Amino acid sequence: VKGGEEEKRAAKEGLVEFLDRAAETETFDVPEREHFRLIGPQGKAVLALEKESGSSITFGKGGMTVRGSPEQRAKAWELAQEVLAREGASTHRVKSEEARLIIGPGGSTVKDVERSTGARIIVSRADAEPRVQIRGSVEARERAWERVRYLLTSDECRRSVEVSVNAAEVLLADRAAALSRIESEMGVCLSIEREGG
């Protein structure tokens, strides 16, 4: 620093104040399951956030910690929220009969959940244990999974009817053709369980 003693002292105080402000940290609540979206493949997303905000960002159990001036921290959080608001995905395992209930006759139930929540739902039955993938913003995914859980647990959405063994055999004959036809025509989702489980 060039100048007189007064200018040097003022510059030093300004530099110390700047460094102190830049060293301040703030931790933002970001669920661990969302960290990968902010970090990105090979850390590219977090590097972009750091570059654009001028801050330093780390992740831990407490969330996302941002080091920098108040303006830098605010900008980093604003950018992180934009990333999190974009589409992401969550996957849930369900039982086979639950997958059918979620899909509904002709896909009507899953379409209704998609319309009401803004999320995209994909039910995969390729594995022995089906999976439900929900895509959308964090809020849309949470609303969709809440609706799906309600469908799976609500007595309002399920009714049990006892049928004879002969009736069950008729419903299941020819790859459950009769069962499928009833589901399609009546707009219901049926499953047959043995008595006692």
Side-chain angles (χ1 to χ4, degrees):
V1 176
K2 293 183 180 181
E5 288 302 313
E6 187 65 30
E7 288 88 7
K8 288 179 183 178
R9 188 181 56 70
K12 182 179 177 183
E13 286 175 5
L15 183 59
V16 167
E17 182 182 332
F18 173 79
L19 292 173
D20 284 346
R21 287 181 67 206
E24 292 177 6
T25 64
E26 189 172 351
T27 300
F28 299 93
D29 185 27
V30 176
E32 282 187 66
R33 68 182 183 276
E34 299 295 339
H35 289 185
F36 77 96
R37 295 179 58 213
L38 293 173
I39 295 169
Q42 301 172 346
K44 289 180 182 176
V46 73
L47 290 174
L49 290 174
E50 288 176 328
K51 183 176 181 179
E52 192 168 340
S53 68
S55 66
S56 172
I57 301 172
T58 58
F59 294 89
K61 289 189 186 265
M64 179 181 88
T65 301
V66 181
R67 179 179 303 277
S69 69
E71 296 80 17
Q72 290 170 323
R73 295 192 313 264
K75 182 65 175 176
W77 180 235
E78 177 187 324
L79 295 168
Q81 287 178 304
E82 288 174 12
V83 170
L84 293 174
R86 291 185 213 135
E87 188 171 299
S90 58
T91 303
H92 309 273
R93 293 179 186 269
V94 295
K95 297 176 184 168
S96 202
E97 62 272 9
E98 291 174 335
R100 292 179 66 228
L101 187 63
I102 294 165
I103 295 168
S108 61
T109 304
V110 75
K111 287 175 189 169
D112 180 52
V113 173
E114 288 178 332
R115 265 192 307 277
S116 66
T117 64
R120 172 84 174 104
I121 301 172
I122 302 158
V123 180
S124 170
R125 296 189 280 183
D127 299 332
E129 194 170 50
R131 296 169 193 235
V132 176
Q133 183 183 68
I134 303 174
R135 299 193 64 76
S137 68
V138 173
E139 295 81 17
R141 293 192 320 262
E142 287 173 356
R143 282 193 311 268
W145 182 239
E146 190 174 305
R147 281 284 310 275
V148 167
R149 282 195 332 235
Y150 175 78
L151 286 170
L152 300 178
T153 59
S154 172
D155 288 339
E156 194 177 307
C157 299
R158 299 185 130 192
R159 298 283 187 255
S160 293
V161 177
E162 283 189 38
V163 295
S164 69
V165 173
N166 290 343
E169 288 173 354
V170 169
L171 289 169
L172 294 174
D174 297 325
R175 295 183 177 185
L179 193 68
S180 297
R181 192 176 68 251
I182 292 169
E183 286 180 327
S184 178
E185 290 173 7
M186 303 299 291
V188 297
C189 183
L190 302 173
S191 64
I192 296 181
E193 299 175 6
R194 292 177 188 258
E195 190 174 38

